[in-house]
Amino acid sequence: MTKEELSVSQYGRYIKLFIALVSGYMLPYLFGHKELSASMATSAWLSLALGPSISNSRAYFVQRFMTNLVPILGGTIIFIITRHGFITMMIVTLFMFVLMSKFPNRFRLTSLGVSLTLITGIGGNFTAGGERLISVWLGMAVGFFIECYILPPDQGFKMKKMLTDMEKKIIKIYYRLLHDRTLTSLKGFKIDELTEELKKIEAQMAGFNKDFSIKWAKHLKKYEKDIDFFKYSIELLEVSVRFLQKVCLFENDLTELSEEEKKYLFVNISEVVKKHEKLLLSFYETTENTEYEEEHFLEQNMDILISYLAEYQDTVRKISKEMYKAE
């Protein structure tokens, strides 16, 4: 398993969680603050819990810390005034509901319950409240540092793998279609599942873009030249899936076509497959070309790819019209 593959795998996630747990616990322990060990270890762990993603880790860092800071700080002050833990908790709870409705991206509802119940235990003790906030902040910082610099998730590698795997499936379906020359062969492939896979790829692209935009994610900068290719690969897959879905819809009607019409139809489908493979080959030749740094190289090749894609879409539309003849 390569470093890139490990960084986005479940095993890589376990490694980072273990490091976060040990680091979060041992750091305050070694500096003589044993009372903070459990809280720091929990915070370090939680900052990695949303999966291998720097953007998710950063968002959780901000949300969880703010969800601790505002209730504990505000609750400590209100407790000094009311001298009643339950009343303080109710006031802070209602205030946080209003605040979270106004700023939903700055707070985390799942972390709020612990903060609210801690108010009754902390009371007006600023020292206890400060220790809680320090342990949360430092613990989250430890976890975020681990996510950024110790086996940072390579979202670009995962993106390429997901695209390659789905492209292989599409080509396999096309080959089966042309070999059997009947639409019943598509029943062995779950075309609807391709739509779900495509949604996962689009979600992965969104995650990649978020991580790529973060300045700490320097390990992703090597994929800067691939962003356009990711986008057009997804567009290619979208066109292919829509086409295969349309083919499946006309399975029964195909029997009503004459042999000449069937022959013409599969000749056109063969054109789609050739254009699809030509486009894929162009993608990989361009992304792997060693002359990438030459001026205008990327711009020229992207124009070619876009023209290929337009031609591919035109061919798909032409075949779709042939399908409607079967109605």
Side-chain angles (χ1 to χ4, degrees), residues 177-195:
L177 189 63
L178 292 175
H179 179 268
D180 296 350
R181 299 183 69 80
T182 173
L183 301 187
T184 56
S185 61
L186 292 177
K187 288 185 175 180
F189 300 97
K190 298 178 180 178
I191 305 299
D192 289 340
E193 289 185 2
L194 293 177
T195 305

Side-chain angles (χ1 to χ4, degrees), residues 16-26 28 35-50 60 64 68 111 114 118 132 135-144:
K16 288 186 286 188
L17 285 170
F18 180 77
I19 295 172
L21 188 67
V22 174
S23 302
Y25 190 89
M26 292 305 296
E35 69 280 1
L36 300 181
S37 292
S39 182
M40 266 193 69
T42 303
S43 296
W45 175 286
L46 287 173
S47 64
L48 299 168
L50 296 181
Y60 192 81
R64 187 164 182 265
N68 276 268
S111 301
V114 176
L118 279 173
R132 167 68 183 179
S135 64
V136 168
W137 190 89
L138 286 177
M140 298 288 286
V142 168
F144 186 62

Side-chain angles (χ1 to χ4, degrees), residues 51-308:
S53 169
I54 293 176
S55 57
N56 286 347
S57 183
R58 182 181 66 172
Y60 192 81
F61 188 151
V62 173
Q63 291 171 350
R64 187 164 182 265
F65 179 69
M66 291 299 294
T67 308
N68 276 268
L69 175 65
V70 177
I72 291 176
L73 186 60
T76 304
I77 296 171
I78 294 173
F79 184 88
I80 294 173
I81 299 171
T82 63
R83 293 295 176 180
H84 197 290
F86 181 76
I87 294 175
T88 300
M89 186 172 65
M90 292 299 99
I91 294 173
V92 175
T93 300
L94 294 174
F95 174 73
M96 286 303 299
F97 285 162
V98 173
L99 205 58
M100 292 179 79
S101 65
K102 297 291 184 181
F103 307 99
N105 295 327
R106 289 290 178 264
F107 301 93
R108 194 168 189 85
L109 188 61
T110 53
S111 301
L112 183 59
V114 176
S115 304
L116 294 173
T117 52
L118 279 173
I119 293 171
T120 57
I122 293 172
N125 190 337
F126 278 98
T127 302
E131 287 178 349
R132 167 68 183 179
L133 294 176
I134 290 171
S135 64
V136 168
W137 190 89
L138 286 177
M140 298 288 286
V142 168
F144 186 62
F145 178 85
I146 291 170
E147 186 75 304
C148 288
Y149 299 106
I150 299 178
L151 207 62
D154 195 329
Q155 302 289 5
F157 170 83
K158 187 176 181 180
M159 188 72 210
K160 281 188 173 182
K161 187 177 186 305
M162 291 177 74
L163 287 171
T164 302
D165 289 347
M166 189 165 178
E167 284 161 359
K168 287 179 180 178
K169 286 184 181 180
I170 295 290
I171 289 294
K172 185 178 181 181
I173 293 172
Y174 276 148
Y175 278 169
R176 175 65 66 83
L177 189 63
L178 292 175
H179 179 268
D180 296 350
R181 299 183 69 80
T182 173
L183 301 187
T184 56
S185 61
L186 292 177
K187 288 185 175 180
F189 300 97
K190 298 178 180 178
I191 305 299
D192 289 340
E193 289 185 2
L194 293 177
T195 305
E196 294 303 314
E197 287 189 42
L198 192 57
K199 289 179 181 177
K200 290 178 182 178
I201 289 175
E202 290 170 344
Q204 174 62 26
M205 185 65 189
F208 169 82
N209 286 332
K210 285 182 180 178
D211 275 15
F212 185 82
S213 65
I214 297 175
K215 63 180 180 180
W216 296 291
K218 293 181 179 179
H219 65 292
L220 295 180
K221 301 310 176 186
K222 62 184 177 182
Y223 295 107
E224 186 171 5
K225 62 186 181 181
D226 295 321
I227 292 176
D228 286 334
F229 293 102
F230 288 162
K231 182 177 70 174
Y232 285 109
S233 291
I234 292 172
E235 188 175 347
L236 172 63
L237 292 174
E238 287 174 346
V239 172
S240 301
V241 171
R242 285 200 301 270
F243 171 65
L244 288 171
Q245 287 174 331
K246 187 174 287 292
V247 169
C248 288
L249 289 174
F250 289 92
E251 178 187 342
N252 296 329
D253 298 311
L254 186 66
T255 57
E256 299 179 13
L257 294 178
S258 66
E259 288 301 316
E260 192 65 28
E261 286 174 325
K262 286 182 183 178
K263 181 180 178 181
Y264 179 74
L265 183 61
F266 280 102
V267 165
N268 278 278
I269 291 176
S270 179
E271 277 188 48
V272 167
V273 177
K274 288 177 182 177
K275 285 185 170 61
H276 186 98
E277 290 185 308
K278 185 179 182 182
L279 190 54
L280 284 180
L281 183 63
S282 300
F283 277 11
Y284 290 114
E285 282 182 348
T286 307
T287 54
E288 294 173 4
N289 199 297
T290 55
E291 300 175 354
Y292 227 115
E293 300 303 323
E294 288 189 9
E295 189 177 4
H296 305 310
F297 179 84
L298 177 61
E299 182 181 345
Q300 292 169 1
N301 280 271
M302 282 309 302
D303 289 340
I304 294 172
L305 295 181
I306 293 169
S307 65
Y308 281 165

